[in-house]
Amino acid sequence: MFVQNIQAGQSFVFRLPHGEDLLQALGDICREKGVQTGRVEVIGAVQSAAVAYYDQEKQEYARLELPGEWEILSCLGNISLKQGEVIVHAHITLSDSQGRVYGGHLVPGCSIFAGEGFIQEFQGARLERDFDSTTGLPLWKE
Ligand code: ZN
């Protein structure tokens, strides 16, 4: 098990830019504010969406396109480093006009309609991702 003690660093609230890519925009905020570790949450809506599902047997992501407009009921994630680059790892739950819900691992392809978010920076932790041969995923290394 991997456990680290962290302290709260800076906090930011933000409104996301209409028409831009959700995952890209979250990474841009982190880079602009110098946040390398932390957590992120967003609510709002997208004009089209894409998510991914990790196939544990094949050890690869399958992409799911979700055309049309969706509410972002919840988008939660963390911020860490992979090969020195800031990586936002987030999952998103989306609802349609009937309240039906889809979701998955956030990938490029979610076009922001409107969004409001929060980032909490962590201090005292060094969160670096590295390839994990058991899962095939870039997990936090000890
Ligand atoms: Zn994920």
Side-chain angles (χ1 to χ4, degrees), residues 61 89-91 104-106:
Y61 282 101
H89 176 205
H91 289 184
H105 175 93
L106 182 63

Side-chain angles (χ1 to χ4, degrees), residues 88-109:
V88 174
H89 176 205
H91 289 184
I92 189 167
T93 306
L94 302 157
S95 69
D96 69 9
S97 61
Q98 304 302 305
R100 290 174 297 216
V101 171
Y102 285 80
H105 175 93
L106 182 63
V107 293

Side-chain angles (χ1 to χ4, degrees), residues 45-105:
V46 292
Q47 304 170 102
S48 65
V51 296
Y53 172 82
Y54 191 68
D55 185 317
Q56 296 176 16
E57 192 174 332
K58 291 182 184 167
Q59 297 201 343
E60 61 186 31
Y61 282 101
R63 187 180 167 95
L64 177 63
E65 300 292 339
L66 297 167
E69 58 192 52
W70 300 87
E71 290 285 323
I72 303 171
L73 300 184
S74 171
C75 178
L76 298 175
N78 56 58
I79 301 151
S80 58
L81 296 170
K82 183 177 155 192
Q83 294 173 330
E85 297 284 316
V86 172
I87 296 290
V88 174
H89 176 205
H91 289 184
I92 189 167
T93 306
L94 302 157
S95 69
D96 69 9
S97 61
Q98 304 302 305
R100 290 174 297 216
V101 171
Y102 285 80
H105 175 93

